[in-house]
Amino acid sequence: MKRSGLIWTIAIVAILLTACGPAAVGEVTIAVENAYLPFNYIDPDTGEPTGWDYEVWDEICERINCTPVYTEASWEGLIQAVSDGQFDAAADGITITEDRAEIVDFSIGYINLDQRLLVRIDEDRIASMDDIVADESLKLGTQTGTTNYETASTFLPVDRILAFEQFPFAVQALIAGDIDAVIIDEVAGQGYLGENVDDLKLVGPSLSSDQLGFIFPKGSDLVEPVNEALKEMMEDGFLAELNTKYFGAAFTITYDDL
């Protein structure tokens, strides 16, 4: 009789705990580059990692009851590392593509970004990608392994595209005159203007509109709860408020500050 009462007590406690909130997911390892404004970067004032990705994942874990563990990783190899299960997820402005979806699972898209051309301020030969295509002397820079590189390769042969390990290297090559333009996500391009506003400008129409998502190993149990959290954040205004903070005029940090 006493044992039966104990069983009922345990059952009631379990029900109450379930009713109080979602079961703990545990620690979630999240790969970030810490070099992609405004999504993830090292704060120049505090020396601490921060950015849109950090605030979104902190909020996701609040909602699905997990603990985010952020790990810095280079862009090259990041998607494969997630596919191999080295990380539970990655957040780095990752464009949703069919090819990538063959080796990782994506969350729902959380933002759209346009690809644009970044050129020197005194550049008068380039008003659009058509001008680069027409002039075989012009060189285009971008970051290796990105959809920006894929877009560039649809317009130009590979011998006219210079791929750099990180976008800052491509932008420095542009300023130095080693290349003539950089194809880049518009938000990231705005981050390079800052103190370089007298040196650089964005030109031409959008070359491609990309939808970004978080990535997970194939079959991850995290995809569904993360998607639900993202939907809630869209509906209750959390993402809209965060987008204003990081993509609006109030965000003044540039790559020159890092």
Side-chain angles (χ1 to χ4, degrees):
M1 185 70 178
K2 288 183 179 179
R3 183 175 179 182
S4 176
L6 177 61
I7 292 173
W8 274 106
T9 300
I10 293 172
I12 292 170
V13 170
I15 292 171
L16 289 173
L17 288 173
T18 302
C20 290
V25 175
E27 289 189 347
V28 176
T29 56
I30 305 159
V32 289
E33 191 180 7
N34 282 339
Y36 190 55
L37 283 174
F39 292 99
N40 50 72
Y41 59 95
I42 304 299
D43 189 294
D45 295 325
T46 66
E48 296 296 320
T50 188
W52 191 95
D53 287 332
Y54 284 93
E55 293 207 35
V56 168
W57 265 100
D58 284 350
E59 182 67 18
I60 287 172
C61 279
E62 279 289 324
R63 298 186 185 219
I64 70 173
N65 198 13
C66 65
T67 301
V69 178
Y70 302 101
T71 304
E72 185 172 311
S74 64
W75 167 256
E76 191 171 5
L78 185 148
I79 296 175
Q80 187 62 52
V82 173
S83 176
D84 294 341
Q86 296 179 35
F87 305 103
D88 297 316
D92 204 52
I94 303 170
T95 302
I96 299 172
T97 70
E98 292 182 3
D99 288 345
R100 291 171 178 173
E102 292 180 359
I103 63 170
V104 294
D105 283 340
F106 276 95
S107 71
I108 58 174
Y110 53 73
I111 199 169
N112 289 323
L113 287 183
D114 291 325
Q115 294 186 40
R116 299 279 304 282
L117 288 174
L118 189 68
V119 299
R120 290 183 293 277
I121 194 71
D122 59 354
E123 180 61 72
D124 57 10
R125 300 167 298 170
I126 302 172
S128 70
M129 181 62 81
D130 290 341
D131 297 319
I132 298 178
V133 173
D135 188 342
E136 295 184 1
S137 69
L138 299 177
K139 298 286 187 179
L140 181 64
T142 189
Q143 184 178 12
T144 184
T146 63
T147 52
N148 304 115
Y149 182 90
E150 293 173 10
T151 299
S153 65
T154 65
F155 291 97
L156 300 173
V158 293
D159 61 349
R160 293 182 59 195
I161 304 171
L162 276 72
F164 296 82
E165 184 179 351
Q166 292 186 353
F167 271 117
F169 302 150
V171 174
Q172 288 304 313
L174 174 62
I175 293 173
D178 298 328
I179 55 178
D180 303 291
V182 171
I183 185 171
I184 194 169
D185 293 336
E186 184 170 19
V187 169
Q190 293 286 357
Y192 283 104
L193 297 182
E195 295 178 12
N196 292 319
V197 70
D198 294 330
D199 301 314
L200 301 171
K201 62 183 178 182
L202 287 164
V203 299
S206 170
L207 298 169
S208 174
S209 184
D210 298 324
Q211 194 169 49
L212 307 184
F214 300 125
I215 61 171
F216 310 85
K218 276 289 187 182
S220 171
D221 293 335
L222 280 172
V223 177
E224 184 175 348
V226 168
N227 282 344
E228 289 304 313
L230 285 171
K231 290 175 185 176
E232 289 179 3
M233 292 154 70
M234 292 172 184
E235 293 170 358
D236 63 24
F238 180 89
L239 281 187
E241 184 177 341
L242 202 63
N243 289 346
T244 298
K245 173 181 177 180
Y246 281 101
F247 303 124
F251 188 79
T252 58
I253 296 175
T254 72
Y255 284 94
D256 297 303
D257 301 316
L258 304 183

